[in-house]
Amino acid sequence: MSILSSLITLPLIIIHLITANPGEDASRQVNITWHASQSGTKLYLTTIASDTEHHSSTCNTEHHSGIIQTSHHEKITERQKCLKGDTQTVIPSKIIEINPTEELWSYDKGDSLFQQPRYICRVKLDSLQPGTKYYYSIARTSESTKSTVVSAVSADSADSDCLELRSRNSASTNITEICWRSFTTASGPQTKEWSFLAFADFQHPFNETTHKTIAAGLTLTDNDSHSSRHISGATNKEATSAYSDNKPSNVPAGNTEGPASLHSNTHNNASSSTGNNQLLLCSGDITGTAANESEWRWALDNPVMSDLIFAGAPGDHEYWGIKPEGEKHIPQMPSNLTYNAILTNPQNGCPEYRNSNYYFYYNNVLFVSLNCGDSNTYLCPQFIREADWFRKTILPLKGTYDYLVVFGHKSIYGSYQEDSGVRKYFTPLWYPVFDQAGVDLVVSGHDHMYSRTFALKGDARVSAKGSGTWYLDLGSSGNKYRSPDEGLYKDGLHAKVFDLKTNPKTLGAKIFVSEKEMKVIVFDENGETFDSFTILKK
């Protein structure tokens, strides 16, 4: 008898903040983290595509003596039939049960997020199969095979309604959602054509537009993106403001359906090719206040995130605590404690910023996450050691990838005014490091205004094709907007600058990787192409 087929429900356990993060080699290593209100939860892992044997369990709406779970090959209509009691559902038999490491966290840790004690659970998966879609669920079991299973969202948004199973007894009625999330491993360095998503500053809590923008990015195709007209090369206010009168259209030639068509079959399109659209980056400010747990839940416990591998860098707001009663300003925490308690990244960064400074391979791209510190930008020893780590660790990896992408919160070539310490300390520290490493693309945020540079080297524009580094400040993937300062228009380094305060847009980027180039498509919440540029392989 299958483990899960014999489980019955107990009182509700809160399980949330379930996140899949990349291991150092994302084709074989993925890390799963979740928070549970009780000890003893376990991870159940399966690959449905490779399972040929299934265990059947009869659906009974009056009494459930076991877990009822539909196969992901079934449609939601079949799930609804099950709830009516006129069909059977199946669960794959090849399920691996994994015990996580558990850390009991309480308010004694000094972080105001965790005022209610909980168990931080982590599973580091290794020896996975490349290019494979894995399904997983979280459960709490006991020797008597009793269990409660709670999962915030399902694996497939097409099947977004989780089964609600009611276990009736003389004492109470318990409702348990039984859902499967998923992730897809990278296919490996031989994979030359694929795409990934990049965002900055989710930050504004409960802004539904952010998740709409993610969904729009999942459906955006290479053909769609290049059907639009683009305003590029803007180096002054006049050229930039002209954009509002020349909005690009995302409707391909011959397509009469309009932008709404981009939102149909989102996850079907996203899963159409192995390893495609399965990776999402966020370059910091995942939350507005890190110590506000509801903001983390809004960002991560959402169906649009449930089948993606998430790689996030910390922003300065990941250092922010709860405002003490009577205080006007939100205090900064001494370190990014909540970030490290929620995400489990490769432990290969510099010791001062381990888990938030890290690198990983996904197909033919090497990604590096930087920790850009808290709100006060100055030349601290940690930054110098992080740059030294980059030279000693990343430079020797040349030749093991086709492209090098760095993501971190503060934009090295961003605003001159919003955070003057960046231009004073960050820029001279990092651009020589990136030049030496031959970084292709740096993705950042922090300024809440959109800008991208020309290809730069030596703190200046380069004209030779296939050389230099492109710096992309994605502005805002939430709804906090600012206007650019004069320095961005006058420095001669920026190909495009845009005033998001005057013309608010929630932005994301989709990067199409091929053997010869990376095409960067910046899009808004309606799936309309906002900007685009191409980075040739060095």
Side-chain angles (χ1 to χ4, degrees):
M1 180 178 291
S2 146
I3 296 173
L4 292 184
S5 65
S6 64
L7 305 181
I8 63 175
T9 59
L10 287 173
L12 198 65
I13 298 174
I14 299 173
I15 300 174
H16 62 143
L17 298 176
I18 308 170
T19 309
N21 305 125
E24 184 172 310
D25 177 0
S27 70
R28 296 188 177 275
Q29 300 164 331
V30 172
N31 304 322
I32 310 295
T33 310
W34 68 91
H35 290 193
S37 60
Q38 296 183 33
S39 177
T41 54
K42 299 182 180 181
L43 177 76
Y44 292 91
L45 183 72
T46 185
T47 55
I48 289 186
S50 63
D51 287 342
T52 57
E53 298 178 1
H54 295 83
H55 174 81
S56 295
S57 180
T58 301
C59 179
N60 185 324
T61 57
E62 293 303 317
H63 177 71
H64 293 293
S65 60
I67 280 185
I68 310 298
Q69 172 66 52
T70 61
S71 162
H72 279 273
H73 296 301
E74 296 178 342
K75 297 187 181 297
I76 193 169
T77 53
E78 294 300 315
R79 294 187 175 195
Q80 293 168 339
K81 286 181 181 179
C82 174
L83 292 175
K84 295 177 182 179
D86 56 0
T87 190
Q88 287 189 333
T89 55
V90 294
I91 189 167
S93 59
K94 297 179 180 178
I95 298 173
I96 302 172
E97 179 186 277
I98 304 172
N99 292 315
T101 60
E102 289 186 336
E103 176 188 2
L104 177 61
W105 191 289
S106 69
Y107 187 68
D108 292 340
K109 288 282 187 178
D111 187 340
S112 53
L113 169 66
F114 299 119
Q115 295 188 28
Q116 297 297 322
R118 87 277 306 286
Y119 291 87
I120 302 171
C121 305
R122 307 179 197 267
V123 169
K124 295 184 178 182
L125 300 171
D126 203 345
S127 301
L128 298 171
Q129 294 299 311
T132 302
K133 189 170 188 176
Y134 287 86
Y135 294 85
Y136 64 98
S137 189
I138 313 299
R140 180 176 182 267
T141 62
S142 67
E143 293 298 328
S144 60
T145 69
K146 293 183 178 181
S147 174
T148 295
V149 183
V150 180
S151 206
V153 290
S154 64
D156 290 331
S157 222
D159 292 342
S160 60
D161 291 336
C162 299
L163 282 177
E164 288 190 350
L165 304 183
R166 299 177 181 269
S167 176
R168 292 179 172 83
N169 55 48
S170 58
S172 63
T173 298
N174 299 319
I175 299 177
T176 302
E177 289 184 344
I178 304 197
C179 312
W180 292 83
R181 296 171 68 104
S182 73
F183 62 83
T184 301
T185 52
S187 297
Q190 75 285 354
T191 302
K192 304 296 184 181
E193 295 195 4
W194 60 289
S195 61
F196 63 94
L197 297 173
F199 296 86
D201 298 76
F202 287 169
Q203 190 167 1
H204 195 286
F206 320 121
N207 174 25
E208 294 181 0
T209 307
T210 298
H211 294 117
K212 181 182 177 183
T213 307
I214 295 173
L218 287 169
T219 64
L220 189 68
T221 67
D222 194 10
N223 289 333
D224 290 334
S225 64
H226 287 280
S227 64
S228 305
R229 291 180 292 120
H230 307 294
I231 302 298
S232 301
T235 57
N236 56 65
K237 284 188 173 181
E238 289 73 24
T240 305
S241 62
Y243 177 85
S244 61
D245 299 322
N246 294 276
K247 281 188 177 180
S249 168
N250 69 317
V251 183
N255 186 336
T256 59
E257 295 180 1
S261 65
L262 287 176
H263 299 290
S264 64
N265 301 317
T266 295
H267 287 265
N268 290 338
N269 292 339
S271 303
S272 60
S273 59
T274 301
N276 215 27
N277 308 321
Q278 300 294 343
L279 174 66
L280 184 148
L281 310 180
C282 182
S283 57
D285 280 3
I286 304 165
T287 65
T289 305
N292 186 342
E293 183 170 12
S294 62
E295 294 187 32
W296 286 101
R297 297 186 70 171
W298 165 84
L300 302 177
D301 291 348
N302 187 284
V304 78
M305 297 285 286
S306 62
D307 56 1
L308 296 169
I309 291 178
F310 177 68
D316 56 307
H317 283 257
E318 270 67 74
Y319 284 81
W320 285 25
I322 292 291
K323 184 186 299 183
E325 187 175 354
E327 293 289 331
K328 293 183 178 180
H329 303 289
I330 298 176
Q332 291 189 43
M333 297 181 290
S335 67
N336 55 333
L337 292 169
T338 57
Y339 172 97
N340 288 333
I342 291 171
L343 305 180
T344 305
N345 300 312
Q347 304 298 297
N348 51 19
C350 70
E352 289 80 7
Y353 288 142
R354 192 154 289 162
N355 193 62
S356 54
N357 166 222
Y358 59 94
Y359 71 87
F360 68 95
Y361 290 90
Y362 198 104
N363 293 338
N364 58 338
V365 177
L366 177 63
F367 293 91
V368 180
S369 167
L370 297 184
N371 186 322
C372 296
D374 60 20
S375 292
N376 300 314
T377 303
Y378 55 93
L379 196 60
C380 64
Q382 288 92 327
F383 291 160
I384 297 173
R385 285 193 282 268
E386 191 175 18
D388 188 54
W389 166 87
F390 198 106
R391 291 188 183 93
K392 292 179 179 178
T393 304
I394 302 303
L395 263 62
L397 298 178
K398 278 188 176 181
T400 63
Y401 53 84
D402 291 336
Y403 302 97
L404 178 55
V405 175
V406 174
F407 60 108
H409 186 54
K410 297 179 181 179
S411 180
I412 293 174
Y413 284 98
S415 172
Y416 285 82
Q417 294 180 351
E418 286 299 327
D419 191 341
S420 59
V422 173
R423 282 302 184 96
K424 185 175 181 180
Y425 300 115
F426 250 48
T427 306
L429 173 67
W430 278 108
Y431 82 75
V433 178
F434 294 158
D435 287 350
Q436 188 178 4
V439 172
D440 295 286
L441 174 66
V442 178
V443 182
S444 60
H446 186 54
D447 297 328
H448 300 281
M449 59 193 75
Y450 179 81
S451 68
R452 69 168 170 92
T453 67
F454 297 98
L456 304 180
K457 190 172 184 179
D459 201 26
R461 290 172 56 176
V462 291
S463 57
K465 292 184 177 181
S467 63
T469 301
W470 299 77
Y471 294 85
L472 174 64
D473 185 341
L474 269 172
S476 177
S477 298
N479 53 4
K480 182 178 179 181
Y481 310 114
R482 295 192 181 110
S483 297
D485 53 76
E486 290 293 332
L488 293 177
Y489 296 105
K490 295 179 178 180
D491 64 11
L493 303 177
H494 286 82
K496 184 177 177 74
V497 180
F498 189 79
D499 187 340
L500 290 176
K501 186 175 183 179
T502 302
N503 191 359
K505 289 181 180 293
T506 300
L507 300 175
K510 189 164 188 175
I511 294 89
F512 296 89
V513 182
S514 69
E515 192 168 5
K516 295 182 179 180
E517 62 187 19
M518 290 197 301
K519 296 179 181 178
V520 182
I521 311 300
V522 181
F523 60 92
D524 65 16
E525 65 271 21
N526 296 314
E528 293 186 0
T529 301
F530 174 77
D531 189 18
S532 68
F533 58 99
T534 299
I535 302 172
L536 298 178
K537 182 181 175 183
K538 290 183 173 64

